[in-house]
Amino acid sequence: MRVLSTLLLIPLFVKVLAQEKTGGGPATKHDYQSDVARMRKIVIESLYSHKDVFLRELVSNANDAIEKWRILALKEGLENNNPLNITIKLVPDEVKGGGKIILTDTGIGMTPEELTKNLGTLAKSGTAEFLKAANEKNGAQLIGQFGLGFYSSFLVASDVYVASLPPPTKENPDPVQHVFASSTDATSFEVYRDPRGNTLQRGTEITLVLKDDSLKYLMEYKVKDLIEKHSAFSTAHPIYLYTSRMDDVPLEEGDEGYEPPKPKKEKKEKKEEEKDESEEKKEDDEEELKEADEEEEEEEEVPVKTKKVKVENWVQLNDQPPLWTRDPKSINDTEYIDFYRATYKEPNDPLAWHHFKGDTGSGTSFRALFYLPSAIPQDFWNSPKSTSESVRLYVKRVFITNDLGEQALPKWISWMKAIIDADDLPLNVSRETLQSTKFLSQAKQVLIKRLIQLLTRIASEDQAKFKRIMKAGYSALLKLGAVESAKDRTKILSIIRFKTNLRESVTLDQYIEKKRKGQDQMFYLAGVGQEPDDLAKSVFVEKLTARGYEVLLFTEPMDEILFSQVRDWKDMKLQDVAKEGLKFGDEDEDKEAEEAALKEATEKYQPLIDYLKEEGKEMVSGVQISNRLVTSPCAIVASQQGYSSNMQRLLASQHTQDAQQKMIQEWARKQRVLEINPKSPLIQGLLAKWKQVNDVEEGEEKDPELVEELKEVSSILIDGALVRSGFDVADANLFFYRVDRVLRRSLGVSETAEADATVKPAPEEVEAVETPKQELPDLEADEDLSKVEEFEAPFDPSEQIRMATQNFMKEPETVAPEGGAPDLPVINLEDDVASAEAEKPAHDEL
C-alpha cells in the first residue's frame, strides 16, 4: 500500500463533516414516489445478500463520477487542477459510541437539480445519458446505475448526507455546494445549500452515519479487506484511507517535564586534563579516575523522556494495478509473480501462469489470467467435491463473485488461481450474481483447454520445469482429470509422464514408439507408495525385463483407478502383469516347442501342483506353471476377475463398506493363482520332497515327521509368495512361527526349547475405592427452561489481534506502472466450446 503524508493531501480532502442543516439557504423537501419508496425498501431490506457490498457500490459510483469529469475535461479542454482520487475517512464518536464513514471523490460533482434527479429517483443515473451526450462509449469504463448503488448505503447507515459541488461552467460560473439528506425510514429527502460553504474544490462527499449493528466498518482492517476484495482493481484512480496511530517521540523544549541536556563538553575537557596529570600520579589516583569514568557513563545512560504523538497518514489501498488488462508482452516475470503473491497472499512463487484474451462470439470480450500454485492445498483430497473459491469473476474490473455455483471448475482443476474479467455481463439488479450462466460454462471449458495447452507446451519446451510441476503433485491431479473428464481424457493422458523399468520418463505415445515386434499390449505394474526402482525388481517383471520389454510402473493411487477405465491406447490394450494371462506377443514364432515344453513341465510337476492346490485352497483358486518367472521360485497373480495386490490395498482403505461389498471383495480376493517356476532349485527340491514323502509301499503309512515337514515348507512357500507378490498373509503369527522353526533346525537349536519367561511381577493392588453410583437422567420428565443456564458468548480474538498488529505492519511505498491495456491475442470462445463433445463429462466420486 502506498502511504502519503497528511500534509500533502490536506488541500485535496475535506476536513469538516457534512452534517444536518444548521444555517444557509432554505431546504427543499421532496417526497419519494410510492413506487420508488417501495422499491427503495426492497433494496435496503432484501436486495443485497451482504452488507459489505455498500462500499463496493459507493466506490464504483465515485469512479463513474471521476470518469465523467475526466472525459468532459478532455472533450471541453477544461483545466484539471485537482488530482483524481477517492478518499475514505473513518470517524468514530468517542463520546456517544457511534461513528461515521466519509467517502469523497474529485469527480464531476452534482448540481441541486442533479442531486434530486440522480439520488431521489431509484436507478436513475446520469451514466447512460452522459455517455450518449459525450459520445465516448468506448472510452469510459462505467458500470451500474448510480441511484441503485447509492441506496445500498442505507444497509449500514441510519442517515446519509451527500455534499456535492459541480465544476464551473458557462451557464453556472460560480457553483454552490449543496447537500442531499435522507434517512433509512424517511419517506422524503431534503436538498439544501451546504451551511459550511464550498468546502469541496470539486466532487462529491458522502457521509454515512452508521447504525449500531454496523460499527464494525469503523475498523481500518475491515475497510481494507473490503476494498481489496471488491474494488482493488475497479478503478484506475487511487483510493486512499485515512489512518492514524500513536507514536512515542522525545519531549521538546516547552513540553511539560522537559529537561535540557547537561553540558558534556566541559566535563570531557576537564577529564582529559585530569587524565594527563594522572600519568605522573600513583596507582591510587588511577583507580579514582576509573571510578569517576564509571559514574559519568551511568549519568549518560539516563532514559530520554517521551510523549505520545498522533501520526496521521493517507494510505493507498489499490496500489496493485489490474495486471490482466495489460499486454502480456509488456509484463515481465517479476510483475506476474509479485501480482500473484500480493493478490492471493501466497508466500511462494507460482510454478507457471497463462495470460490471454477471448471473446464469446456474441460481442462479450474478456481477459483471463490463471496461475499454477507452488503446492496443492492440503485438504484437496479430503472432499470428493470441488469447494474452490479461487476463481474470481470481475465485470469491468469490479469483483462480482468467486462462487460459480453449478459452473464451478471440476474437482481436478479446482486448485487453479484464476481471474476472469468480462467487459459486460448480464447481472442481477444487485450486481452480485449473473443472470445467465452460459458465459461461465464457456469460460470453464476455456480454462480447462488453456491449462492443457500450457502444460503441453511446457512439457515440450522446458522439461525441467515440467518435472518440477509434476513433482509438486500435479501428476495425480491430471490423472484425476482423465478419470473425471471423458471428453478431455485423450488430451490429458498425452501430457502425463510415467516411469518404466527401462526409462526414467515416457509418455504413452513414446512407449508405443519403442514397442517390440509382435507386441500388441502395453505392460504395466501398479504398486502404491513404492519406489519405482523397487517396483522394477518385482517378481512380475522378471522375464519382461530380462527379455527387454518395457513395463509402465504406477506408484500413485490414481494410476490403477485410471487404467481400470482406460482399457487401451491407440489400439494397444493395457496388460496388468500382476494378473494371469500374460502374453509377450511372439508366442507364435516357436509355438509348438513352447507348448511341448509347457506340457512336459505340467506333467512332471502335476503331483506337486495338486498338493499345493489342496494346501493353499483358502488363499488361491489354482496352481499352474509360470511363464513370467526367471529366478524366483513362485508368485501369486490375480485372475482377470480378481483384485491385484495394489487394488486390494486401495479397497481395504475404504471405511464405508456394506455386507454385499465385503462379500464381493472376499470372493475377488480368492481369485488368484499360484504360479511356480519349474526351473527354480527350490521348486525342484520341493517336488523331490513330495516324492520322498509318498514313496511308500502299498498299505504302509507315511512318515508323520516328513509329512509335517513338507506341509510346513509348503505353507512357508505359499505365504512367502503372498508377501513377495504384495499380498498380506492370512495369519502373520503362524507364518513367523513356522519360519522360527525352520531357523531353529538350520541352527541346530531344539524346536521345543523355550526362552526364560521370568519377569518382575507388578506391585500389589491398591485398596479398592467404591465408585459412587451415577444416577441416570429421567428422559420422560418435563423440561423447566427457567433452570437452563445461559452460556457466555465465545471469545472473539479478532479485535485484540487487530490492535496488536495495527502498528506493526507498515508496507513500503510502491509506484503503480503506467500504461493502458494493449490488445491481447484473441481467442473465439464459441469455437472452443463448439469443439467440445456434446455429452456432459462424468464426475466420479473417489
Side-chain angles (χ1 to χ4, degrees):
M1 298 179 184
R2 187 179 301 166
V3 181
L4 298 179
S5 170
T6 306
L7 295 177
L8 296 177
L9 292 176
I10 283 178
L12 306 180
F13 310 118
V14 177
K15 298 168 60 179
V16 182
L17 310 183
Q19 298 291 353
E20 305 87 55
K21 182 178 182 301
T22 56
T28 305
K29 186 175 182 179
H30 303 270
D31 291 330
Y32 289 115
Q33 297 178 1
S34 59
D35 292 342
V36 173
R38 287 196 299 269
M39 182 60 72
R40 177 171 169 268
K41 185 177 181 180
I42 293 174
V43 169
I44 297 173
E45 295 181 356
S46 59
L47 180 62
Y48 293 97
S49 59
H50 301 286
K51 291 183 178 181
D52 292 350
V53 299
F54 85 93
L55 193 57
R56 179 196 71 184
E57 296 294 327
L58 295 183
V59 170
S60 295
N61 292 340
N63 181 64
D64 289 354
I66 294 176
E67 284 292 297
K68 289 179 182 180
W69 165 248
R70 183 182 66 83
I71 295 172
L72 182 63
L74 291 174
K75 189 176 182 65
E76 303 295 336
L78 302 177
E79 293 185 4
N80 187 15
N81 297 325
N82 286 16
L84 303 179
N85 52 52
I86 302 168
T87 65
I88 303 172
K89 189 170 184 178
L90 311 177
V91 186
D93 190 336
E94 303 294 345
V95 179
K96 298 181 180 181
K100 303 176 182 180
I101 297 179
I102 304 175
L103 188 144
T104 309
D105 68 70
T106 57
I108 196 169
M110 290 177 280
T111 64
E113 295 75 19
E114 289 172 332
L115 284 171
T116 302
K117 178 182 177 181
N118 293 340
L119 304 186
T121 305
L122 188 65
K124 177 61 180 177
S125 172
T127 296
E129 297 175 3
F130 178 82
L131 283 179
K132 183 177 180 181
N135 194 23
E136 290 286 344
K137 293 182 179 179
N138 296 325
Q141 295 294 321
L142 306 174
I143 181 172
Q145 300 292 317
F146 185 88
L148 184 60
F150 164 73
Y151 279 109
S152 66
S153 60
F154 288 103
L155 294 171
V156 299
S158 58
D159 296 280
V160 177
Y161 302 92
V162 182
S164 192
L165 179 66
T169 62
K170 294 180 181 179
E171 296 78 10
N172 187 15
D174 297 313
V176 178
Q177 184 169 312
H178 281 71
V179 176
F180 168 97
S182 186
S183 60
T184 302
D185 300 325
T187 59
S188 62
F189 61 91
E190 291 184 336
V191 176
Y192 54 86
R193 186 168 181 170
D194 196 331
R196 303 168 302 171
N198 290 359
T199 58
L200 301 170
Q201 296 185 23
R202 184 193 66 250
T204 301
E205 173 196 82
I206 300 177
T207 300
L208 308 180
V209 181
L210 295 179
K211 301 176 183 177
D212 292 339
D213 61 354
S214 300
L215 297 180
K216 63 182 179 180
Y217 297 106
L218 292 174
M219 303 296 181
E220 292 179 6
Y221 77 94
K222 181 66 175 178
V223 174
K224 291 178 181 179
D225 290 344
L226 292 181
I227 292 296
E228 181 180 352
K229 179 180 180 180
H230 294 287
S231 306
F233 310 110
S234 64
T235 174
H237 310 295
I239 302 173
Y240 294 103
L241 174 66
Y242 173 83
T243 63
S244 63
R245 68 177 187 273
M246 302 302 295
D247 283 356
D248 292 324
V249 298
L251 292 178
E252 299 178 352
E253 188 173 355
D255 293 335
E256 183 179 354
Y258 173 76
E259 296 180 1
K262 298 179 179 180
K264 300 178 180 179
K265 187 173 181 180
E266 297 179 1
K267 283 186 176 182
K268 186 175 181 181
E269 292 176 353
K270 183 178 180 181
K271 200 67 194 170
E272 289 178 352
E273 294 177 359
E274 293 177 355
K275 192 172 182 179
D276 292 337
E277 295 175 359
S278 66
E279 294 178 357
E280 300 177 357
K281 293 182 179 180
K282 297 181 181 179
E283 194 175 71
D284 294 340
D285 295 334
E286 292 179 358
E287 187 66 26
E288 291 179 1
L289 288 174
K290 184 177 180 181
E291 292 177 357
D293 289 338
E294 292 177 354
E295 292 177 359
E296 184 177 352
E297 289 177 0
E298 291 178 358
E299 292 178 359
E300 292 176 355
E301 292 178 358
V302 176
V304 179
K305 293 184 178 181
T306 60
K307 64 178 179 179
K308 293 287 185 180
V309 176
K310 187 176 183 180
V311 179
E312 301 174 337
N313 285 311
W314 290 93
V315 180
Q316 183 174 348
L317 303 181
N318 61 337
D319 55 352
Q320 187 70 34
L323 199 68
W324 64 84
T325 61
R326 295 169 52 191
D327 183 356
K329 296 179 181 179
S330 67
I331 307 174
N332 57 41
D333 290 352
T334 302
E335 290 180 285
Y336 276 119
I337 293 173
D338 291 344
F339 177 81
Y340 169 79
R341 299 182 70 167
T343 303
Y344 293 101
K345 301 297 183 291
E346 289 285 345
N348 301 317
D349 296 347
L351 295 174
W353 56 84
H354 186 39
H355 185 187
F356 61 96
K357 180 180 179 182
D359 189 272
T360 62
S362 58
T364 300
S365 60
F366 71 95
R367 299 168 186 267
L369 171 62
F370 68 79
Y371 290 90
L372 275 67
S374 59
I376 305 302
Q378 295 181 354
D379 59 347
F380 179 85
W381 297 102
N382 294 340
S383 172
K385 296 183 180 180
S386 172
T387 57
S388 172
E389 295 183 350
S390 58
V391 177
R392 302 183 180 183
L393 177 64
Y394 291 80
V395 175
K396 297 177 183 176
R397 303 196 306 272
V398 176
F399 175 79
I400 301 301
T401 184
N402 57 2
D403 182 7
L404 305 185
E406 295 180 356
Q407 299 302 329
L409 293 177
K411 173 69 177 179
W412 74 274
I413 198 177
S414 60
W415 45 264
M416 176 185 286
K417 306 286 189 182
I419 289 175
I420 303 174
D421 187 4
D423 289 343
D424 187 26
L425 283 178
L427 303 174
N428 70 348
V429 71
S430 66
R431 298 193 298 186
E432 293 182 284
T433 57
L434 288 173
Q435 292 180 353
S436 172
T437 59
K438 181 180 179 181
F439 173 79
L440 292 181
S441 176
Q442 294 172 327
K444 177 174 68 174
Q445 297 300 327
V446 169
L447 288 176
I448 294 174
K449 173 187 173 182
R450 285 291 177 138
L451 172 66
I452 295 175
Q453 292 177 346
L454 174 65
L455 293 177
T456 301
R457 171 169 288 188
I458 294 176
S460 176
E461 298 177 354
D462 193 344
Q463 296 184 8
K465 182 177 182 179
F466 183 80
K467 187 175 181 180
R468 290 197 302 271
I469 294 175
M470 294 300 104
K471 190 175 181 180
Y474 287 88
S475 176
L477 297 180
L478 290 176
K479 293 168 185 176
L480 176 61
V483 171
E484 286 189 339
S485 177
K487 178 185 63 179
D488 299 310
R489 181 171 296 160
T490 301
K491 295 178 182 178
I492 296 174
L493 283 175
S494 299
I495 303 174
I496 303 174
R497 267 57 173 169
F498 301 93
K499 292 187 177 182
T500 73
N501 58 330
L502 302 180
R503 287 187 282 179
E504 180 69 20
S505 175
V506 297
T507 63
L508 296 181
D509 289 336
Q510 291 171 341
Y511 178 95
I512 293 177
E513 292 172 0
K514 296 293 184 180
K515 69 177 183 177
R516 296 288 177 170
K517 181 181 178 181
Q519 180 183 350
D520 59 358
Q521 299 184 92
M522 302 177 69
F523 303 114
Y524 75 89
L525 177 63
V528 176
Q530 297 187 47
E531 292 295 329
D533 293 340
D534 296 334
L535 195 59
K537 300 173 184 178
S538 171
V539 294
F540 300 119
V541 298
E542 281 185 358
K543 198 167 186 177
L544 289 164
T545 302
R547 297 193 61 190
Y549 285 94
E550 193 164 25
V551 181
L552 298 168
L553 304 176
F554 298 156
T555 58
E556 295 182 355
M558 286 303 307
D559 289 325
E560 192 158 357
I561 298 174
L562 170 61
F563 286 100
S564 65
Q565 299 187 26
V566 180
R567 301 295 184 179
D568 57 76
W569 179 260
K570 297 186 177 180
D571 300 327
M572 287 192 69
K573 295 182 179 180
L574 281 97
Q575 168 67 55
D576 186 352
V577 299
K579 290 190 174 184
E580 65 175 347
L582 178 63
K583 300 292 183 182
F584 295 93
D586 62 345
E587 286 80 6
D588 294 338
E589 294 183 3
D590 199 4
K591 186 176 182 180
E592 294 182 0
E594 290 186 0
E595 289 180 350
L598 178 60
K599 182 178 179 181
E600 179 183 355
T602 302
E603 292 176 353
K604 179 180 179 181
Y605 285 90
Q606 190 62 50
L608 180 61
I609 291 175
D610 295 338
Y611 176 80
L612 293 175
K613 186 175 182 179
E614 178 64 24
E615 289 295 320
K617 61 183 179 181
E618 295 296 327
M619 290 165 284
V620 296
S621 59
V623 182
Q624 65 186 25
I625 300 298
S626 177
N627 69 334
R628 75 184 73 221
L629 300 177
V630 178
T631 59
S632 299
C634 56
I636 291 182
V637 299
S639 66
Q640 292 299 327
Q641 294 77 29
Y643 294 148
S644 66
S645 60
N646 184 66
M647 181 61 74
Q648 189 170 311
R649 283 192 296 271
L650 290 176
L651 293 175
S653 64
Q654 303 297 320
H655 300 292
T656 56
Q657 297 178 356
D658 55 26
Q660 185 178 4
Q661 288 177 324
K662 291 183 178 180
M663 182 177 65
I664 294 175
Q665 290 185 18
E666 182 64 21
W667 175 85
R669 185 180 66 84
K670 294 183 179 180
Q671 301 307 305
R672 49 196 184 192
V673 178
L674 174 64
E675 293 188 356
I676 60 175
N677 180 10
K679 297 181 180 180
S680 169
L682 184 58
I683 298 299
Q684 293 171 357
L686 189 61
L687 177 61
K689 192 71 172 178
W690 181 89
K691 290 180 178 180
Q692 181 184 359
V693 171
N694 291 274
D695 186 15
V696 295
E697 297 294 336
E698 185 176 352
E700 186 179 352
E701 293 184 359
K702 300 176 183 179
D703 187 341
E705 291 187 2
L706 292 178
V707 172
E708 182 63 25
E709 185 177 350
L710 176 62
K711 184 176 181 179
E712 185 177 63
V713 172
S714 300
S715 298
I716 293 175
L717 182 74
I718 296 174
D719 286 344
L722 285 169
V723 175
R724 189 191 299 265
S725 303
F727 295 98
D728 294 329
V729 296
D731 189 339
N733 291 328
L734 181 58
F735 170 65
F736 287 108
Y737 170 74
R738 289 167 175 162
V739 172
D740 181 67
R741 291 183 59 184
V742 173
L743 293 175
R744 284 170 177 262
R745 286 198 296 268
S746 66
L747 296 174
V749 178
S750 173
E751 297 181 16
T752 60
E754 297 182 357
D756 185 2
T758 303
V759 295
K760 180 181 178 181
E764 295 181 357
E765 294 183 2
V766 298
E767 185 178 352
V769 179
E770 184 178 355
T771 304
K773 185 177 180 180
Q774 182 179 4
E775 295 184 3
L776 297 178
D778 184 4
L779 298 180
E780 297 179 358
D782 295 335
E783 191 65 50
D784 186 359
L785 296 181
S786 63
K787 297 181 180 180
V788 177
E789 297 181 2
E790 295 184 1
F791 292 93
E792 296 182 358
F795 172 68
D796 182 6
S798 58
E799 177 62 14
Q800 282 73 11
I801 295 174
R802 184 194 66 80
M803 295 177 62
T805 58
Q806 185 175 11
N807 296 328
F808 179 75
M809 298 299 294
K810 185 177 181 181
E811 304 184 10
E813 180 175 346
T814 59
V815 179
E818 298 180 355
D823 291 337
L824 304 178
V826 178
I827 65 172
N828 191 296
L829 196 55
E830 292 286 354
D831 294 342
D832 291 333
V833 177
S835 64
E837 297 180 9
E839 69 272 17
K840 184 178 180 181
H843 292 265
D844 298 332
E845 293 190 2
L846 304 182

